[in-house]
Amino acid sequence: MPGVKLTYEDLVRMPDDGMRHELIDGEHFVTPPPDSSHQTVSFTLSGLFWTYLRAHPIGRVFAAPYDVELSRHTVIEPDLLYISNESAVGALLPSHLKGVPELVIEIESPSTRRYDQTTKLTAYGEAGGLEYWRIMPRTRAIEVHARTQSSVPFAAPRLLPPPDVLTTPLLPSLELPLAVLFAGTDI
């Protein structure tokens, strides 16, 4: 229906069809399931985060499918997200996250490239997110968007290719070697 903004409640009533369903400002977006390279990077990164957070229990990481209700009319499903223990209080619900995680990670697929680098980046930035990583398995690089101050939009992105090591102030002492992250993505 034109002019009607969908909500999280509308989203959860949709039948499960194996596709990714998201809302940006009430508009419904559907993307296909991820490919092999995407899954390889997601699984590797999940393992690296899991290991880190077992040794440094400062927050939680969630992987898709997991809804993030940034606002009443904006619900995203990041490939991965990190939320600190402090931010999780009151935001982490049994069914989904109702709030803004510190870090959102999107693993680019050919069908989601434009959507990830424009629509989702803008929605997350406007909601007050601190970092947005766009991982690109085909070019084996990561684009990092980070805030320099909480009141400004994301600074110009940093592009990291292998053999760089990705670090973030959100997860002190975590080091993510890109060569390890992209191993096995040439399927």
Side-chain angles (χ1 to χ4, degrees):
M1 229 185 277
V4 174
K5 288 188 175 188
L6 299 176
T7 66
Y8 178 72
E9 292 77 22
D10 298 319
L11 190 69
V12 297
R13 284 193 293 268
M14 293 179 186
D16 184 3
D17 60 1
M19 303 291 269
R20 180 177 292 189
H21 295 264
E22 299 174 300
L23 302 177
I24 304 292
D25 195 26
E27 185 179 346
H28 185 212
F29 291 86
V30 182
T31 55
D35 63 16
S36 302
S37 293
H38 182 288
Q39 290 287 43
T40 299
V41 169
S42 181
F43 188 75
T44 301
L45 193 53
S46 295
L48 294 168
F49 277 131
W50 183 86
T51 301
Y52 173 83
L53 290 171
R54 294 286 289 178
H56 308 88
I58 60 172
R60 311 260 311 261
V61 169
F62 293 91
Y66 190 73
D67 290 334
V68 176
E69 186 179 359
L70 297 175
S71 71
R72 178 165 168 73
H73 298 287
T74 300
V75 182
I76 61 172
E77 188 178 294
D79 292 314
L80 292 155
L81 69 89
Y82 164 76
I83 186 164
S84 68
N85 290 333
E86 295 97 34
S87 295
V89 174
L92 193 56
L93 305 175
S95 58
H96 69 289
L97 179 69
K98 187 173 185 171
V100 183
E102 281 86 347
L103 170 64
V104 162
I105 301 167
E106 293 296 346
I107 303 165
E108 185 177 276
S109 297
S111 61
T112 64
R113 181 180 302 123
R114 285 186 70 86
Y115 177 63
D116 289 346
Q117 72 187 22
T118 56
T119 308
K120 282 180 90 170
L121 171 64
T122 300
Y124 180 63
E126 288 175 352
L130 298 179
E131 286 190 24
Y132 182 94
W133 298 356
R134 194 167 61 94
I135 300 176
M136 299 167 280
R138 283 174 180 53
T139 59
R140 296 176 179 256
I142 297 179
E143 190 176 80
V144 177
H145 298 262
R147 278 190 199 287
T148 54
Q149 300 171 345
S150 61
S151 61
V152 299
F154 289 122
R158 289 184 301 141
L159 186 63
L160 303 169
D164 283 356
V165 173
L166 177 58
T167 61
T168 174
L170 299 174
L171 301 157
S173 77
L174 174 68
E175 294 186 350
L176 299 171
L178 272 61
V180 170
L181 186 61
F182 292 119
T185 59
D186 52 353
I187 298 171

